[in-house]
Amino acid sequence: MSGIVGRSLSAWWRRSARRLAGDAVWASALEAVTMISGLVVMYVISTGLGPGAYGYFVGAQALIATLGMVSCASVAQLVMQGIVRDRRPRHGVFGRSLALMLGATCVSLVVGLLLRPVLFPGLTTRVFALLAVAELVGMGIVALGAAYLQALDAYRQSVVARLFLLLLRTSSVVLLAVLAELSLEWVAWSYCVLGLLVAAGVLAHLRLWDGVRLWPRLPSSREVRDAGSFAASLLAFSVHEDADKVLMVRLADPATAGLYAAAYRAVQVAASPIKALVTASHRRFLLHDPTVRGEHTRRSWSYTAVGAGYGVVAAGVVVAAAPLLPAVLGDAYAGSVPMVQVLAVLVVLRGLGAFSYNGLMGLGAHGHRVAVIAAAAVVAALLNVVLIPMFSWWGAAVATLTAELLFVVLAWWALLRRQRRHDASVDGLAVAAR
């Protein structure tokens, strides 16, 4: 009997490993296309319009992505939690999440338009508004649909729409350059129109594939609280991630910001396999057995061993390959080489911290997640404000790496603390059962 059980468990682990490997391949493909798309757009805009225009473009995209954490990404996480961890009826979860996303999007659009003249005075309101609609509405609905599909363990389907939209965006920028019509306004128009079209296609697919009612429903108070918690966590993460690039435009100069953004993009290419593994394993971290001790720390350690090992090797490759960047982008980007070499440490830190943070999600420790990333975001913002005017890009790099190290330490401290508390409650229930 024990032999049959052992073989069954072994077969289950092999199937699970194969499924994870397949999902990781698709996630890697998405990350690769995202990185290549970003590099192509960077090359076309920076060479066609100059580093200054690219600096404004990246800065605006960073701010919009930060606002999107509140209106889109937080609601996507709510869908995953509601269906996978809480096991609620999926159609109801989707309808309530859609209502939350629409409301948060309206608020985010207003906030973005108010911040535009303060942060990007050289960028027109029309361009910023078009980019904001493309990201918050178009990409937001695509992300919501992708989260729904991933929650139903249809991860590969969830990747297709995002891949398609990225390819369309990149092709539109290249086409504008070929037609000699390249400008930030035309790029913004193409992003907006394509985003809305693909979003409509995603909603139609959900309706036909699973009979989803595309009608918002009134969310529960718990869902509003959880969405707020996810939003706070993701907003803080976005500040932590993008504060340097947004503030470089304002506190240094757009040209230096463009060089720094190019360097950061190159480092992101190296870190993309880690992000792919985080994305592919997201659903697995939501699986939770309240009777098991040490479940989430063991899962986090195993994934971190892979991520950190890769990070060390990748960081060395990035440092060695950095001098090749001007050969790809042109001599105007020679200043990006030392930036890449300094920021390479970021790849190692990402491998060390990402999975412990997801372990907190599996434990339902939303408050700890918010506290951890908020602390890192505050440190990143304050250090950037202080150090960029004094040391330019060096200040931004130091601020980013310091905040990332703090994030790693706090995430592991919080995970171990919450897991010990959970294990103590399991032991208490076992004693009471005797």
Side-chain angles (χ1 to χ4, degrees):
M1 183 68 178
S2 60
I4 295 174
V5 173
R7 286 193 297 272
S8 298
L9 288 173
S10 176
W12 181 85
W13 278 111
R14 286 197 298 270
R15 287 195 302 270
S16 179
R18 285 197 298 269
R19 188 61 178 266
L20 176 61
D23 289 351
V25 168
W26 277 91
S28 298
L30 178 61
E31 289 302 315
V33 172
T34 301
M35 291 298 107
I36 294 171
S37 172
L39 290 171
V40 171
V41 171
M42 176 185 70
Y43 178 81
V44 173
I45 294 179
S46 60
T47 56
L49 302 177
Y54 181 67
Y56 275 121
F57 177 77
V58 171
Q61 289 285 77
L63 174 61
I64 294 166
T66 300
L67 296 172
M69 293 297 178
V70 176
S71 62
C72 309
S74 61
V75 178
Q77 287 206 2
L78 186 67
V79 170
M80 293 283 290
Q81 175 180 276
I83 296 175
V84 179
R85 193 177 192 276
D86 299 339
R87 300 176 184 178
R88 297 176 182 176
R90 60 186 186 274
H91 289 178
V93 170
F94 182 86
R96 293 188 294 272
S97 299
L98 181 61
L100 283 170
M101 193 200 81
L102 293 175
T105 295
C106 293
V107 175
S108 297
L109 283 170
V110 172
V111 172
L113 291 172
L114 291 175
L115 289 176
R116 195 277 314 165
V118 177
L119 296 174
F120 314 111
L123 196 67
T124 66
T125 301
R126 180 185 300 172
V127 169
F128 184 87
L130 289 168
L131 291 173
V133 170
E135 192 70 27
L136 300 179
V137 180
M139 184 63 82
I141 291 176
V142 171
L144 183 64
Y148 182 83
L149 291 167
Q150 187 174 1
L152 299 184
D153 209 13
Y155 181 71
R156 300 174 191 188
Q157 286 190 48
S158 76
V159 171
V160 172
R162 287 177 286 179
L163 281 173
F164 187 56
L165 180 54
L166 284 170
L167 292 172
L168 286 177
R169 282 183 170 186
T170 308
S171 300
S172 69
V173 173
V174 173
L175 182 62
L176 288 171
V178 171
L179 297 176
E181 295 290 345
L182 184 66
S183 69
L184 290 184
E185 182 166 341
W186 274 113
V187 171
W189 270 112
S190 65
Y191 273 34
C192 184
V193 172
L194 293 172
L196 294 177
L197 288 174
V198 174
V202 167
L203 292 177
H205 173 71
L206 293 180
R207 178 63 180 169
L208 295 172
W209 180 72
D210 196 45
V212 178
R213 290 187 62 190
L214 307 177
W215 190 257
R217 303 185 184 186
L218 184 66
S220 66
S221 58
R222 179 188 171 184
E223 286 170 322
V224 173
R225 288 195 303 270
D226 285 348
S229 176
F230 286 135
S233 177
L234 290 166
L235 180 61
F237 184 82
S238 188
V239 172
H240 165 64
E241 174 85 7
D242 293 323
D244 52 353
K245 293 177 283 298
V246 173
L247 293 172
M248 278 285 290
V249 176
R250 189 64 174 154
L251 300 178
D253 62 86
T256 303
L259 295 174
Y260 185 84
Y264 199 93
R265 178 72 69 181
V267 173
Q268 282 184 313
V269 172
S272 61
I274 296 174
K275 187 177 179 182
L277 185 58
V278 171
T279 303
S281 64
H282 185 90
R283 187 178 185 276
R284 289 164 175 79
F285 276 90
L286 282 170
L287 299 174
H288 174 67
D289 188 339
T291 64
V292 175
R293 300 177 77 259
E295 177 184 15
H296 297 286
T297 51
R298 287 195 299 272
R299 185 177 291 143
S300 298
W301 279 119
S302 62
Y303 280 92
T304 297
V306 176
Y310 167 81
V312 171
V313 175
V317 173
V318 167
V319 171
L324 299 176
L325 193 61
V328 177
L329 298 179
D331 293 337
Y333 284 85
S336 294
V337 173
M339 300 178 186
V340 171
Q341 293 173 328
V342 172
L343 290 171
V345 181
L346 198 60
V347 185
V348 181
L349 295 175
R350 290 285 163 84
L352 289 171
F355 301 105
S356 56
Y357 192 65
N358 272 4
L360 287 169
M361 177 181 62
L363 284 165
H366 301 314
H368 282 78
R369 280 166 58 87
V370 172
V372 167
I373 193 59
V378 169
V379 168
L382 290 177
L383 288 178
N384 274 296
V385 169
V386 172
L387 296 179
I388 289 177
M390 298 170 60
F391 303 107
S392 188
W393 72 266
W394 269 103
V398 169
T400 297
L401 295 176
T402 301
E404 192 72 29
L405 178 61
L406 177 65
F407 171 78
V408 172
V409 173
L410 291 179
W412 274 108
W413 172 81
L415 176 62
L416 294 173
R417 186 169 183 267
R418 278 302 298 260
Q419 186 70 72
R420 282 196 300 268
R421 183 188 303 177
H422 171 77
D423 293 349
S425 68
V426 172
D427 293 340
L429 290 174
V431 171
R434 299 195 194 103

